[in-house]
């Protein structure tokens, strides 16, 4: 499938994923609902130059929105992922993404989980009330994290932002509030990051 618009569809209670695009470039996925699916709510694999906008993915057994294997040059905006039995947004092995004004909340794991995400912008997103990390980066570099809110992410892994094995990540003007452990955490394998102008307030441990 290429150059296709998927709009206004409800995909629910399927034994696999609600929506699954495999090696499918130049598509628009807009204003859909995916819920109570046995794997992913909405998944893209190897699908480039796409638009994900105004989708709502909730109560799925896996991540609400999953992107993997070179989903390059994609705009992900104004989507919601909630109450999934994994991460809200789970994005791996992709570059040059724009993640703007998305919300992820009340998921069993992280609100936003990024693995090998490079050269991307995360701006004006909200991650709250998840049962692990609000925002999690591993093996990622050259990203900008600007003006996001990560709050009330609880349990032992309740970090507002956690960076492991990450480099050249610019974290500016974000709010990390009332998380179950720390506001911002970077491990010893992370280097060359810039943390500037953020607010880390009322976290259970340190800012």
């Amino acid at each position: 499938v290429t150059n296709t618009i998927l709009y206004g569809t409800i995909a629910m209670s399927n034994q696999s994923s609600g929506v699954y695009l495999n090696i499918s470039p130049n598509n628009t996925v807009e204003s859909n609902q995916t819920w109570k699916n046995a794997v992913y709510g909405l998944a893209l694999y190897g699908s480039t130059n796409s638009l994900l906008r105004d989708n709502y993915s909730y109560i799925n057994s896996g991540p609400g929105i999953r992107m993997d294997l070179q989903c390059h040059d994609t705009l992900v905006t104004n989507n919601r992922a909630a109450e999934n039995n994994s991460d809200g947004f789970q994005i791996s092995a992709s570059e040059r993404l724009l993640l703007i004004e998305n919300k992820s909340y009340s998921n069993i794991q992280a609100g936003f989980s990024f693995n090998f995400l490079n050269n991307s912008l995360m701006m004006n997103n909200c991650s709250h009330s998840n049962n692990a990390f609000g925002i999690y980066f591993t093996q990622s570099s050259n990203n900008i994290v600007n003006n996001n809110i990560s709050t009330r992410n609880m349990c032992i892994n309740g970090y507002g932002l956690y960076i492991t094995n990450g480099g050249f990540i610019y974290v500016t003007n974000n709010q990390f509030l009332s998380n179950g452990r720390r506001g911002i955490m970077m491990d010893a394998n992370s280097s060359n990051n810039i943390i500037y102008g953020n607010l880390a307030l009322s976290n259970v441990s340190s800012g």
Side-chain angles (χ1 to χ4, degrees):
V1 176
T2 60
N3 301 300
T4 297
I5 297 173
L6 177 65
Y7 184 89
T9 299
I10 296 175
M12 62 173 288
S13 301
N14 296 289
Q15 295 303 307
S16 183
S17 299
V19 174
Y20 186 99
L21 300 178
N22 185 30
I23 313 178
S24 179
N26 305 311
N27 295 304
T28 296
V29 182
E30 185 171 7
S31 298
N32 304 287
Q33 293 187 40
T34 58
W35 58 293
K36 289 189 176 179
N37 297 290
V39 186
Y40 310 123
L42 168 59
L44 275 67
Y45 277 74
S47 300
T48 60
N49 297 296
S50 295
L51 169 63
L52 273 66
R53 181 168 58 198
D54 295 330
N55 300 288
Y56 183 23
S57 188
Y58 57 106
I59 321 178
N60 298 287
S61 296
I65 296 176
R66 165 77 167 155
M67 301 171 64
D68 198 3
L69 298 177
Q70 301 179 356
C71 291
H72 304 328
D73 303 302
T74 292
L75 172 60
V76 183
T77 184
N78 204 34
N79 302 283
R80 290 181 293 159
E83 300 181 69
N84 297 288
N85 201 37
S86 180
D87 303 317
F89 290 74
Q90 188 180 89
I91 300 176
S92 302
S94 299
E95 296 190 358
R96 299 181 301 278
L97 301 188
L98 299 176
L99 295 112
I100 299 173
E101 295 183 347
N102 302 285
K103 294 180 180 178
S104 186
Y105 53 92
S106 301
N107 297 287
I108 293 297
Q109 296 184 23
F112 294 87
S113 179
F114 304 121
N115 183 23
F116 290 99
L117 176 69
N118 302 312
N119 304 305
S120 295
L121 170 65
M122 181 186 190
M123 184 170 69
N124 296 341
N125 301 279
C126 181
S127 180
H128 72 84
S129 307
N130 299 289
N131 203 38
F133 312 102
I135 303 169
Y136 176 71
F137 284 91
T138 181
Q139 303 286 345
S140 300
S141 64
N142 294 299
N143 297 300
I144 296 173
V145 182
N146 177 251
N147 202 39
N148 303 282
I149 298 174
S150 183
T151 183
R152 301 193 307 276
N153 301 291
M154 303 308 292
C155 89
I156 193 170
N157 289 324
Y159 297 94
L161 171 67
Y162 193 105
I163 299 173
T164 176
N165 293 293
F168 299 99
I169 298 176
Y170 301 88
V171 181
T172 61
N173 299 316
N174 302 280
Q175 298 181 46
F176 304 107
L177 312 172
S178 303
N179 294 289
R181 195 163 183 185
R182 294 187 173 96
I184 303 171
M185 175 69 182
M186 290 182 290
D187 73 359
N189 296 314
S190 297
S191 61
N192 300 303
N193 299 295
I194 294 177
I195 314 296
Y196 176 78
N198 303 280
L199 176 63
L201 179 68
S202 298
N203 299 287
V204 170
S205 182
S206 57

